[in-house]
Amino acid sequence: MANRFLCFWAGGLLALLIAAPAAAASEGGTGIRLLPGRVVLDGPHASQRLVVERIAGGRAVGDITRRARFRSRDPAIARVDADGVVRPVADGRTTIAAQVGGQVATVRVIVRGARRAEAWSFRRHVLPVLSRMGCNSGACHGAAAGKGGMKLTLRGYDPVQDYFTLTREAWGRRVVPTAPERSLLLLKPSGAVPHGGGRRFRPDSLEYRVLREWIAAGMPRPSDRDPRLLRVEVLPSEVTLAPKQTQQLIVRAHYSDGRVEDVTRWAKYGSNDTGVASVDDEGLVRVEGPGEAPITVWFSSQVTFARVTVPFPTRIAAAAFARAERRNFVDEHVLAKLAALRIPPSRLCSDAEFLRRASLDATGTLPDPATTRAFLADPDPNKRDRLIEQLLASEAFVDYWTYRWSDLLLVSSRKLAQPAAMLAFSRWIRQSVAENKPWDRFAREILTATGSNLENGAANYYLIHKETIDLAETTTQAFLGMSVMCARCHNHPLEKWTQSDYYAYANLFARVALKNGDQRGEVFVYSQPGREIEHPRLGVALPPRPLDGPPLSLAWEGDRRVPLAKWLTAPENPYFARAIVNRVWRNFMGRGLVEPEDDLRLTNPASNEALMAALTRDFVQHGFDLKHLMRTIMRSATYQRSAEPVPGNESDLKYGSHYLARRLSAEVMLDALSQVTGVPTDFPGYPRGTRALQLPDSQVSSYFLTTFGRPPREQTCSCERQEDPSLIQALHLRNGATLNEKLRARDGRIDALLDRQASDAEVLSELFLAALCREPTEDERRRILPVLAATPADGDRAARRAACEDLFWAVLTSKEFLFNH
């Protein structure tokens, strides 16, 4: 048997290795591939799981490891078991081959330090074991008060403190170096003695062995010289699977000393969409349904994700995507995603649909009937592009986006009690929108604002957010689209930010100071040297540093906000432009490429990453021009698709196969009701005719706006605006005072129609044009006109007015009016 085995390697393997390059998948080709593509086993404890991946068109399309036969060219250097796990034997180089049917894939293996004496590391091995077992989670010893008398830092964010807790507290009973098996650290989680957390591992497990051997080696302590974790890699990072398929993930940790360790066993996993794919504790992904699902991978203080794509079972000819209209690069990326998922695109919307949609999305207002008639009658094939330019140049555009950015920056009398301060900030925002101020300059002027808040309206940002902590958290949420709040108390559980990152970043704002001016409501903003914020655990101020930027010296006495603003608005900053692109995309498309729109953490990737990258790159290349970004989106065929789904895309809510119909926001709906009825809404303290979108203050009393979800502007979060429908909204719209009083009010559109003695057909036409941006269909005319004609004689104005009120009420409470589509 041994001789036959040697003959296989002497002759058969040589043939396999020669054939391997042709059989294995080439770059962009088809075949099989071994993951990872390079293996270095460094130290006696090293191991590496291999996965055999089927490749089609250069993409990973399925895990076929269970069907593979593994062989090591030199088992004296490294051995591989039937599951594809490679372990070191002696220093040297060898090759591992995996055969599936007639195909072979290989990987080179380098072994170093296979026989050197090396203890398990507290930072790199012990803490990951405790984290994997859930010992330092928030539900166990990582809770704020700990559990059972033992408190560990959440997910091991402070190795030094955890080492002290395990080795010095409880009279040293948690670890017993002279008899490791008697250590509570082993007895309790292995179930040998009662444990509130239950059995976490078996005595014959690797986890038990790591802890026991670490204790027996004298419990080496964490050191500043320990290699630091630089990044976590997951393989395959993208994979396309079919229903019911499974995929084993490989997770590798890259350290500062050059080592790369397989930590698949000790990573933690989660799925962002369990309806598409689930994942177990070992990193085995199982397909549940069609769509895309990011699989989150967490190890130590680092997180990453793998993207699982499961095409829909729809049968679509490639020609369907080839024929689909393309107007700019947006469409190229959207159609590529739709083709990969086999989701068919809807047709383009009608001119009437586009006019209403674009007007509401860009300006929050409806076009008047005359504008609608002219647009619908215009034969110019470029009229949609001309309309976009008209909307972007309108005063209504300035009103709408001033309101949007006032939401983002929390402009209100609740935060700015002095009216002069609130109006100064609102005017500054409005002027910025009117001149199409580049977004990088807009943010930079806010962050570096100094002087009088009445003369420099942007300085009011620092009156709204007076505390250093508030400034740090609000700035990241508003301008980077992500929250760092969790890192205030411990390392961020869903991001790479540590508590030290947080307080180094917060220290950039520590020197912002305020002093009262001579005028009522005037405050001066300035930088005051000498002020610091201390790290609560370390008790010292850390050198101020942007989240991913270089640190400043604590001794530097300049205004720290200047280098902060430079880093934040830099073209190469991966967060800044991406955040505003996502906000603008959501405004026009109804859903962000990342959703929620201000949750741009690494583990919440974009639904179309290629499109997000292209839009961001284009935005930066055009000088952070918001109008250019909006124009690009509005001109695309993607934006101009019908809201009506076609067979195969009915369930798509995030890939752009059709426009997402959505209810009008509170302010837009109220203004639309006023516009169609011709009766303005009265707001206390503001001139008659002021529209809801022109209000600088979110605290202006309005039952309608509050009921329909106007944000109070108390926190920088998109979650403030309530978009979910409610019974109270339905009842108020149908029976409440707002609409009914507008319909009964004199000198509105109804009276204007009666005064000019408009015919029934003219009344119906004007209402539909004003509210729905279209003429009534023949069927609607056939059903509605007889009802109007049945009213008493022309001389009975009251009866005719009542009939018109009923007609207006029916249209203004319809879904077609209340939704943008």
Side-chain angles (χ1 to χ4, degrees), residues 479-511:
F479 294 112
L480 302 179
M482 60 185 181
S483 172
V484 295
M485 184 185 301
C486 294
R488 186 196 307 177
C489 301
H490 49 74
N491 290 356
H492 202 300
L494 298 174
E495 267 288 9
K496 65 180 182 179
W497 314 122
T498 66
Q499 191 180 30
S500 294
D501 290 334
Y502 179 96
Y503 281 95
Y505 170 66
N507 210 15
L508 291 163
F509 297 96
R511 294 182 174 178

PDB file of all heavy atoms in Angstrom, residues 479-511:
ATOM      1  N   PHE A 479     -21.992  64.450   8.266  1.00  0.00           N
ATOM      2  CA  PHE A 479     -21.113  64.611   7.106  1.00  0.00           C
ATOM      3  C   PHE A 479     -20.430  63.324   6.642  1.00  0.00           C
ATOM      4  O   PHE A 479     -19.915  63.270   5.530  1.00  0.00           O
ATOM      5  CB  PHE A 479     -20.063  65.675   7.386  1.00  0.00           C
ATOM      6  CG  PHE A 479     -20.639  67.049   7.542  1.00  0.00           C
ATOM      7  CD1 PHE A 479     -20.629  67.694   8.765  1.00  0.00           C
ATOM      8  CD2 PHE A 479     -21.225  67.693   6.467  1.00  0.00           C
ATOM      9  CE1 PHE A 479     -21.177  68.966   8.912  1.00  0.00           C
ATOM     10  CE2 PHE A 479     -21.776  68.955   6.599  1.00  0.00           C
ATOM     11  CZ  PHE A 479     -21.761  69.595   7.833  1.00  0.00           C
ATOM     12  N   LEU A 480     -20.406  62.300   7.505  1.00  0.00           N
ATOM     13  CA  LEU A 480     -19.805  61.033   7.100  1.00  0.00           C
ATOM     14  C   LEU A 480     -20.829  59.915   7.015  1.00  0.00           C
ATOM     15  O   LEU A 480     -20.502  58.802   6.595  1.00  0.00           O
ATOM     16  CB  LEU A 480     -18.684  60.641   8.076  1.00  0.00           C
ATOM     17  CG  LEU A 480     -17.549  61.654   8.218  1.00  0.00           C
ATOM     18  CD1 LEU A 480     -16.524  61.156   9.220  1.00  0.00           C
ATOM     19  CD2 LEU A 480     -16.897  61.941   6.879  1.00  0.00           C
ATOM     20  N   GLY A 481     -22.055  60.198   7.452  1.00  0.00           N
ATOM     21  CA  GLY A 481     -23.124  59.217   7.331  1.00  0.00           C
ATOM     22  C   GLY A 481     -22.941  57.984   8.182  1.00  0.00           C
ATOM     23  O   GLY A 481     -23.386  56.897   7.810  1.00  0.00           O
ATOM     24  N   MET A 482     -22.298  58.116   9.318  1.00  0.00           N
ATOM     25  CA  MET A 482     -22.117  56.951  10.183  1.00  0.00           C
ATOM     26  C   MET A 482     -22.069  57.380  11.646  1.00  0.00           C
ATOM     27  O   MET A 482     -21.794  58.538  11.961  1.00  0.00           O
ATOM     28  CB  MET A 482     -20.840  56.199   9.824  1.00  0.00           C
ATOM     29  CG  MET A 482     -19.568  57.006   9.957  1.00  0.00           C
ATOM     30  SD  MET A 482     -18.146  56.054   9.378  1.00  0.00           S
ATOM     31  CE  MET A 482     -16.819  57.232   9.689  1.00  0.00           C
ATOM     32  N   SER A 483     -22.362  56.452  12.518  1.00  0.00           N
ATOM     33  CA  SER A 483     -22.383  56.726  13.952  1.00  0.00           C
ATOM     34  C   SER A 483     -21.157  56.122  14.619  1.00  0.00           C
ATOM     35  O   SER A 483     -20.813  54.969  14.379  1.00  0.00           O
ATOM     36  CB  SER A 483     -23.650  56.139  14.582  1.00  0.00           C
ATOM     37  OG  SER A 483     -23.598  56.239  15.987  1.00  0.00           O
ATOM     38  N   VAL A 484     -20.493  56.917  15.468  1.00  0.00           N
ATOM     39  CA  VAL A 484     -19.373  56.407  16.257  1.00  0.00           C
ATOM     40  C   VAL A 484     -19.732  56.383  17.738  1.00  0.00           C
ATOM     41  O   VAL A 484     -18.872  56.190  18.585  1.00  0.00           O
ATOM     42  CB  VAL A 484     -18.110  57.269  16.040  1.00  0.00           C
ATOM     43  CG1 VAL A 484     -17.623  57.170  14.607  1.00  0.00           C
ATOM     44  CG2 VAL A 484     -18.358  58.735  16.415  1.00  0.00           C
ATOM     45  N   MET A 485     -21.009  56.564  18.039  1.00  0.00           N
ATOM     46  CA  MET A 485     -21.457  56.695  19.423  1.00  0.00           C
ATOM     47  C   MET A 485     -21.043  55.509  20.289  1.00  0.00           C
ATOM     48  O   MET A 485     -20.662  55.669  21.450  1.00  0.00           O
ATOM     49  CB  MET A 485     -22.967  56.868  19.476  1.00  0.00           C
ATOM     50  CG  MET A 485     -23.526  57.111  20.869  1.00  0.00           C
ATOM     51  SD  MET A 485     -25.340  57.168  20.883  1.00  0.00           S
ATOM     52  CE  MET A 485     -25.633  58.525  19.747  1.00  0.00           C
ATOM     53  N   CYS A 486     -21.110  54.289  19.728  1.00  0.00           N
ATOM     54  CA  CYS A 486     -20.785  53.097  20.517  1.00  0.00           C
ATOM     55  C   CYS A 486     -19.355  53.146  21.050  1.00  0.00           C
ATOM     56  O   CYS A 486     -19.071  52.642  22.139  1.00  0.00           O
ATOM     57  CB  CYS A 486     -20.979  51.842  19.674  1.00  0.00           C
ATOM     58  SG  CYS A 486     -22.694  51.530  19.207  1.00  0.00           S
ATOM     59  N   ALA A 487     -18.447  53.745  20.269  1.00  0.00           N
ATOM     60  CA  ALA A 487     -17.038  53.777  20.665  1.00  0.00           C
ATOM     61  C   ALA A 487     -16.785  54.746  21.813  1.00  0.00           C
ATOM     62  O   ALA A 487     -15.669  54.811  22.330  1.00  0.00           O
ATOM     63  CB  ALA A 487     -16.166  54.150  19.465  1.00  0.00           C
ATOM     64  N   ARG A 488     -17.797  55.491  22.219  1.00  0.00           N
ATOM     65  CA  ARG A 488     -17.628  56.373  23.372  1.00  0.00           C
ATOM     66  C   ARG A 488     -17.303  55.560  24.625  1.00  0.00           C
ATOM     67  O   ARG A 488     -16.517  55.988  25.480  1.00  0.00           O
ATOM     68  CB  ARG A 488     -18.894  57.192  23.616  1.00  0.00           C
ATOM     69  CG  ARG A 488     -18.740  58.242  24.703  1.00  0.00           C
ATOM     70  CD  ARG A 488     -20.071  58.769  25.200  1.00  0.00           C
ATOM     71  NE  ARG A 488     -20.937  59.244  24.142  1.00  0.00           N
ATOM     72  CZ  ARG A 488     -22.172  59.689  24.360  1.00  0.00           C
ATOM     73  NH1 ARG A 488     -22.668  59.688  25.600  1.00  0.00           N
ATOM     74  NH2 ARG A 488     -22.916  60.097  23.358  1.00  0.00           N
ATOM     75  N   CYS A 489     -17.903  54.378  24.754  1.00  0.00           N
ATOM     76  CA  CYS A 489     -17.739  53.567  25.962  1.00  0.00           C
ATOM     77  C   CYS A 489     -16.851  52.347  25.755  1.00  0.00           C
ATOM     78  O   CYS A 489     -16.329  51.785  26.711  1.00  0.00           O
ATOM     79  CB  CYS A 489     -19.105  53.115  26.473  1.00  0.00           C
ATOM     80  SG  CYS A 489     -20.228  54.468  26.861  1.00  0.00           S
ATOM     81  N   HIS A 490     -16.723  51.869  24.520  1.00  0.00           N
ATOM     82  CA  HIS A 490     -15.944  50.662  24.241  1.00  0.00           C
ATOM     83  C   HIS A 490     -15.678  50.606  22.741  1.00  0.00           C
ATOM     84  O   HIS A 490     -16.238  51.392  21.979  1.00  0.00           O
ATOM     85  CB  HIS A 490     -16.688  49.406  24.694  1.00  0.00           C
ATOM     86  CG  HIS A 490     -18.115  49.365  24.227  1.00  0.00           C
ATOM     87  ND1 HIS A 490     -18.481  49.104  22.918  1.00  0.00           N
ATOM     88  CD2 HIS A 490     -19.277  49.583  24.891  1.00  0.00           C
ATOM     89  CE1 HIS A 490     -19.790  49.144  22.799  1.00  0.00           C
ATOM     90  NE2 HIS A 490     -20.308  49.439  23.980  1.00  0.00           N
ATOM     91  N   ASN A 491     -14.858  49.672  22.310  1.00  0.00           N
ATOM     92  CA  ASN A 491     -14.621  49.517  20.878  1.00  0.00           C
ATOM     93  C   ASN A 491     -15.941  49.280  20.165  1.00  0.00           C
ATOM     94  O   ASN A 491     -16.811  48.556  20.653  1.00  0.00           O
ATOM     95  CB  ASN A 491     -13.676  48.347  20.613  1.00  0.00           C
ATOM     96  CG  ASN A 491     -12.257  48.653  21.066  1.00  0.00           C
ATOM     97  OD1 ASN A 491     -11.961  49.765  21.504  1.00  0.00           O
ATOM     98  ND2 ASN A 491     -11.391  47.676  20.986  1.00  0.00           N
ATOM     99  N   HIS A 492     -16.091  49.893  18.999  1.00  0.00           N
ATOM    100  CA  HIS A 492     -17.348  49.794  18.253  1.00  0.00           C
ATOM    101  C   HIS A 492     -17.607  48.337  17.857  1.00  0.00           C
ATOM    102  O   HIS A 492     -16.748  47.697  17.252  1.00  0.00           O
ATOM    103  CB  HIS A 492     -17.274  50.668  17.003  1.00  0.00           C
ATOM    104  CG  HIS A 492     -18.602  51.054  16.448  1.00  0.00           C
ATOM    105  ND1 HIS A 492     -19.527  50.124  16.028  1.00  0.00           N
ATOM    106  CD2 HIS A 492     -19.179  52.270  16.242  1.00  0.00           C
ATOM    107  CE1 HIS A 492     -20.603  50.739  15.591  1.00  0.00           C
ATOM    108  NE2 HIS A 492     -20.430  52.035  15.707  1.00  0.00           N
ATOM    109  N   PRO A 493     -18.771  47.785  18.179  1.00  0.00           N
ATOM    110  CA  PRO A 493     -19.032  46.371  17.858  1.00  0.00           C
ATOM    111  C   PRO A 493     -19.297  46.098  16.389  1.00  0.00           C
ATOM    112  O   PRO A 493     -19.216  44.961  15.953  1.00  0.00           O
ATOM    113  CB  PRO A 493     -20.281  46.058  18.701  1.00  0.00           C
ATOM    114  CG  PRO A 493     -20.978  47.371  18.836  1.00  0.00           C
ATOM    115  CD  PRO A 493     -19.879  48.402  18.912  1.00  0.00           C
ATOM    116  N   LEU A 494     -19.621  47.137  15.604  1.00  0.00           N
ATOM    117  CA  LEU A 494     -19.959  46.930  14.196  1.00  0.00           C
ATOM    118  C   LEU A 494     -19.031  47.688  13.258  1.00  0.00           C
ATOM    119  O   LEU A 494     -19.270  47.733  12.062  1.00  0.00           O
ATOM    120  CB  LEU A 494     -21.414  47.365  13.938  1.00  0.00           C
ATOM    121  CG  LEU A 494     -22.485  46.596  14.711  1.00  0.00           C
ATOM    122  CD1 LEU A 494     -23.844  47.208  14.473  1.00  0.00           C
ATOM    123  CD2 LEU A 494     -22.488  45.131  14.321  1.00  0.00           C
ATOM    124  N   GLU A 495     -18.009  48.288  13.790  1.00  0.00           N
ATOM    125  CA  GLU A 495     -17.066  49.057  12.994  1.00  0.00           C
ATOM    126  C   GLU A 495     -15.659  48.834  13.516  1.00  0.00           C
ATOM    127  O   GLU A 495     -15.458  48.172  14.538  1.00  0.00           O
ATOM    128  CB  GLU A 495     -17.421  50.555  13.042  1.00  0.00           C
ATOM    129  CG  GLU A 495     -18.313  51.003  11.890  1.00  0.00           C
ATOM    130  CD  GLU A 495     -17.570  51.055  10.560  1.00  0.00           C
ATOM    131  OE1 GLU A 495     -16.423  50.583  10.492  1.00  0.00           O
ATOM    132  OE2 GLU A 495     -18.141  51.572   9.602  1.00  0.00           O
ATOM    133  N   LYS A 496     -14.700  49.423  12.841  1.00  0.00           N
ATOM    134  CA  LYS A 496     -13.309  49.231  13.237  1.00  0.00           C
ATOM    135  C   LYS A 496     -12.849  50.239  14.281  1.00  0.00           C
ATOM    136  O   LYS A 496     -11.728  50.162  14.761  1.00  0.00           O
ATOM    137  CB  LYS A 496     -12.404  49.331  12.010  1.00  0.00           C
ATOM    138  CG  LYS A 496     -12.383  50.714  11.359  1.00  0.00           C
ATOM    139  CD  LYS A 496     -11.455  50.720  10.161  1.00  0.00           C
ATOM    140  CE  LYS A 496     -11.374  52.095   9.514  1.00  0.00           C
ATOM    141  NZ  LYS A 496     -10.453  52.111   8.366  1.00  0.00           N
ATOM    142  N   TRP A 497     -13.715  51.201  14.654  1.00  0.00           N
ATOM    143  CA  TRP A 497     -13.274  52.272  15.537  1.00  0.00           C
ATOM    144  C   TRP A 497     -13.141  51.786  16.986  1.00  0.00           C
ATOM    145  O   TRP A 497     -14.045  51.161  17.539  1.00  0.00           O
ATOM    146  CB  TRP A 497     -14.247  53.456  15.476  1.00  0.00           C
ATOM    147  CG  TRP A 497     -14.623  53.833  14.089  1.00  0.00           C
ATOM    148  CD1 TRP A 497     -15.868  53.879  13.546  1.00  0.00           C
ATOM    149  CD2 TRP A 497     -13.727  54.232  13.037  1.00  0.00           C
ATOM    150  NE1 TRP A 497     -15.822  54.257  12.237  1.00  0.00           N
ATOM    151  CE2 TRP A 497     -14.522  54.491  11.888  1.00  0.00           C
ATOM    152  CE3 TRP A 497     -12.349  54.378  12.950  1.00  0.00           C
ATOM    153  CZ2 TRP A 497     -13.971  54.889  10.684  1.00  0.00           C
ATOM    154  CZ3 TRP A 497     -11.800  54.783  11.735  1.00  0.00           C
ATOM    155  CH2 TRP A 497     -12.600  55.032  10.630  1.00  0.00           C
ATOM    156  N   THR A 498     -12.008  52.113  17.584  1.00  0.00           N
ATOM    157  CA  THR A 498     -11.773  51.776  18.983  1.00  0.00           C
ATOM    158  C   THR A 498     -12.141  52.965  19.869  1.00  0.00           C
ATOM    159  O   THR A 498     -12.366  54.083  19.383  1.00  0.00           O
ATOM    160  CB  THR A 498     -10.299  51.423  19.217  1.00  0.00           C
ATOM    161  OG1 THR A 498      -9.497  52.605  18.992  1.00  0.00           O
ATOM    162  CG2 THR A 498      -9.829  50.325  18.272  1.00  0.00           C
ATOM    163  N   GLN A 499     -12.161  52.724  21.167  1.00  0.00           N
ATOM    164  CA  GLN A 499     -12.442  53.816  22.094  1.00  0.00           C
ATOM    165  C   GLN A 499     -11.346  54.878  22.022  1.00  0.00           C
ATOM    166  O   GLN A 499     -11.624  56.076  22.136  1.00  0.00           O
ATOM    167  CB  GLN A 499     -12.565  53.280  23.525  1.00  0.00           C
ATOM    168  CG  GLN A 499     -13.112  54.303  24.515  1.00  0.00           C
ATOM    169  CD  GLN A 499     -13.221  53.760  25.918  1.00  0.00           C
ATOM    170  OE1 GLN A 499     -12.449  52.887  26.316  1.00  0.00           O
ATOM    171  NE2 GLN A 499     -14.161  54.277  26.693  1.00  0.00           N
ATOM    172  N   SER A 500     -10.122  54.459  21.780  1.00  0.00           N
ATOM    173  CA  SER A 500      -9.032  55.432  21.635  1.00  0.00           C
ATOM    174  C   SER A 500      -9.209  56.256  20.360  1.00  0.00           C
ATOM    175  O   SER A 500      -8.938  57.461  20.343  1.00  0.00           O
ATOM    176  CB  SER A 500      -7.678  54.712  21.622  1.00  0.00           C
ATOM    177  OG  SER A 500      -7.421  54.111  22.878  1.00  0.00           O
ATOM    178  N   ASP A 501      -9.652  55.619  19.276  1.00  0.00           N
ATOM    179  CA  ASP A 501      -9.965  56.363  18.048  1.00  0.00           C
ATOM    180  C   ASP A 501     -10.988  57.453  18.343  1.00  0.00           C
ATOM    181  O   ASP A 501     -10.872  58.589  17.874  1.00  0.00           O
ATOM    182  CB  ASP A 501     -10.531  55.430  16.976  1.00  0.00           C
ATOM    183  CG  ASP A 501      -9.512  54.467  16.407  1.00  0.00           C
ATOM    184  OD1 ASP A 501      -8.310  54.795  16.431  1.00  0.00           O
ATOM    185  OD2 ASP A 501      -9.915  53.387  15.941  1.00  0.00           O
ATOM    186  N   TYR A 502     -12.006  57.084  19.109  1.00  0.00           N
ATOM    187  CA  TYR A 502     -13.105  58.011  19.402  1.00  0.00           C
ATOM    188  C   TYR A 502     -12.598  59.245  20.146  1.00  0.00           C
ATOM    189  O   TYR A 502     -12.901  60.382  19.757  1.00  0.00           O
ATOM    190  CB  TYR A 502     -14.165  57.288  20.238  1.00  0.00           C
ATOM    191  CG  TYR A 502     -15.338  58.152  20.627  1.00  0.00           C
ATOM    192  CD1 TYR A 502     -16.516  58.144  19.882  1.00  0.00           C
ATOM    193  CD2 TYR A 502     -15.290  58.984  21.746  1.00  0.00           C
ATOM    194  CE1 TYR A 502     -17.601  58.934  20.226  1.00  0.00           C
ATOM    195  CE2 TYR A 502     -16.363  59.782  22.109  1.00  0.00           C
ATOM    196  CZ  TYR A 502     -17.508  59.746  21.345  1.00  0.00           C
ATOM    197  OH  TYR A 502     -18.570  60.539  21.698  1.00  0.00           O
ATOM    198  N   TYR A 503     -11.809  59.040  21.223  1.00  0.00           N
ATOM    199  CA  TYR A 503     -11.402  60.187  22.034  1.00  0.00           C
ATOM    200  C   TYR A 503     -10.281  60.990  21.383  1.00  0.00           C
ATOM    201  O   TYR A 503     -10.152  62.202  21.642  1.00  0.00           O
ATOM    202  CB  TYR A 503     -11.037  59.728  23.448  1.00  0.00           C
ATOM    203  CG  TYR A 503     -12.295  59.494  24.257  1.00  0.00           C
ATOM    204  CD1 TYR A 503     -12.854  58.224  24.362  1.00  0.00           C
ATOM    205  CD2 TYR A 503     -12.964  60.555  24.850  1.00  0.00           C
ATOM    206  CE1 TYR A 503     -14.033  58.016  25.059  1.00  0.00           C
ATOM    207  CE2 TYR A 503     -14.152  60.357  25.547  1.00  0.00           C
ATOM    208  CZ  TYR A 503     -14.683  59.090  25.639  1.00  0.00           C
ATOM    209  OH  TYR A 503     -15.861  58.903  26.310  1.00  0.00           O
ATOM    210  N   ALA A 504      -9.482  60.363  20.524  1.00  0.00           N
ATOM    211  CA  ALA A 504      -8.519  61.138  19.749  1.00  0.00           C
ATOM    212  C   ALA A 504      -9.257  62.031  18.756  1.00  0.00           C
ATOM    213  O   ALA A 504      -8.903  63.205  18.554  1.00  0.00           O
ATOM    214  CB  ALA A 504      -7.563  60.201  19.022  1.00  0.00           C
ATOM    215  N   TYR A 505     -10.320  61.485  18.157  1.00  0.00           N
ATOM    216  CA  TYR A 505     -11.141  62.268  17.223  1.00  0.00           C
ATOM    217  C   TYR A 505     -11.899  63.373  17.950  1.00  0.00           C
ATOM    218  O   TYR A 505     -11.924  64.527  17.508  1.00  0.00           O
ATOM    219  CB  TYR A 505     -12.100  61.319  16.510  1.00  0.00           C
ATOM    220  CG  TYR A 505     -13.169  61.986  15.691  1.00  0.00           C
ATOM    221  CD1 TYR A 505     -12.852  62.735  14.564  1.00  0.00           C
ATOM    222  CD2 TYR A 505     -14.511  61.864  16.044  1.00  0.00           C
ATOM    223  CE1 TYR A 505     -13.840  63.346  13.805  1.00  0.00           C
ATOM    224  CE2 TYR A 505     -15.507  62.472  15.293  1.00  0.00           C
ATOM    225  CZ  TYR A 505     -15.172  63.214  14.178  1.00  0.00           C
ATOM    226  OH  TYR A 505     -16.148  63.825  13.445  1.00  0.00           O
ATOM    227  N   ALA A 506     -12.512  63.046  19.083  1.00  0.00           N
ATOM    228  CA  ALA A 506     -13.280  64.043  19.837  1.00  0.00           C
ATOM    229  C   ALA A 506     -12.395  65.192  20.298  1.00  0.00           C
ATOM    230  O   ALA A 506     -12.855  66.345  20.401  1.00  0.00           O
ATOM    231  CB  ALA A 506     -13.963  63.385  21.033  1.00  0.00           C
ATOM    232  N   ASN A 507     -11.117  64.913  20.526  1.00  0.00           N
ATOM    233  CA  ASN A 507     -10.221  65.967  21.014  1.00  0.00           C
ATOM    234  C   ASN A 507      -9.983  67.057  19.973  1.00  0.00           C
ATOM    235  O   ASN A 507      -9.495  68.139  20.296  1.00  0.00           O
ATOM    236  CB  ASN A 507      -8.890  65.351  21.455  1.00  0.00           C
ATOM    237  CG  ASN A 507      -8.240  66.145  22.572  1.00  0.00           C
ATOM    238  OD1 ASN A 507      -8.877  66.988  23.218  1.00  0.00           O
ATOM    239  ND2 ASN A 507      -6.972  65.885  22.817  1.00  0.00           N
ATOM    240  N   LEU A 508     -10.343  66.805  18.723  1.00  0.00           N
ATOM    241  CA  LEU A 508     -10.257  67.846  17.701  1.00  0.00           C
ATOM    242  C   LEU A 508     -11.237  68.991  17.981  1.00  0.00           C
ATOM    243  O   LEU A 508     -11.039  70.111  17.515  1.00  0.00           O
ATOM    244  CB  LEU A 508     -10.549  67.247  16.324  1.00  0.00           C
ATOM    245  CG  LEU A 508      -9.489  66.286  15.763  1.00  0.00           C
ATOM    246  CD1 LEU A 508     -10.072  65.470  14.623  1.00  0.00           C
ATOM    247  CD2 LEU A 508      -8.252  67.048  15.292  1.00  0.00           C
ATOM    248  N   PHE A 509     -12.314  68.694  18.716  1.00  0.00           N
ATOM    249  CA  PHE A 509     -13.339  69.700  19.009  1.00  0.00           C
ATOM    250  C   PHE A 509     -13.192  70.301  20.409  1.00  0.00           C
ATOM    251  O   PHE A 509     -13.967  71.174  20.789  1.00  0.00           O
ATOM    252  CB  PHE A 509     -14.733  69.076  18.899  1.00  0.00           C
ATOM    253  CG  PHE A 509     -15.088  68.587  17.535  1.00  0.00           C
ATOM    254  CD1 PHE A 509     -14.910  67.247  17.202  1.00  0.00           C
ATOM    255  CD2 PHE A 509     -15.602  69.449  16.580  1.00  0.00           C
ATOM    256  CE1 PHE A 509     -15.248  66.782  15.939  1.00  0.00           C
ATOM    257  CE2 PHE A 509     -15.935  68.992  15.310  1.00  0.00           C
ATOM    258  CZ  PHE A 509     -15.756  67.654  14.996  1.00  0.00           C
ATOM    259  N   ALA A 510     -12.246  69.801  21.189  1.00  0.00           N
ATOM    260  CA  ALA A 510     -12.181  70.174  22.607  1.00  0.00           C
ATOM    261  C   ALA A 510     -11.911  71.656  22.825  1.00  0.00           C
ATOM    262  O   ALA A 510     -12.265  72.212  23.868  1.00  0.00           O
ATOM    263  CB  ALA A 510     -11.110  69.341  23.311  1.00  0.00           C
ATOM    264  N   ARG A 511     -11.293  72.322  21.861  1.00  0.00           N
ATOM    265  CA  ARG A 511     -10.902  73.720  22.074  1.00  0.00           C
ATOM    266  C   ARG A 511     -11.896  74.724  21.520  1.00  0.00           C
ATOM    267  O   ARG A 511     -11.630  75.932  21.509  1.00  0.00           O
ATOM    268  CB  ARG A 511      -9.508  73.954  21.474  1.00  0.00           C
ATOM    269  CG  ARG A 511      -8.434  73.166  22.215  1.00  0.00           C
ATOM    270  CD  ARG A 511      -7.034  73.409  21.698  1.00  0.00           C
ATOM    271  NE  ARG A 511      -6.058  72.748  22.544  1.00  0.00           N
ATOM    272  CZ  ARG A 511      -4.745  72.744  22.322  1.00  0.00           C
ATOM    273  NH1 ARG A 511      -4.263  73.378  21.244  1.00  0.00           N
ATOM    274  NH2 ARG A 511      -3.914  72.129  23.144  1.00  0.00           N
TER     275      ARG A 511
END
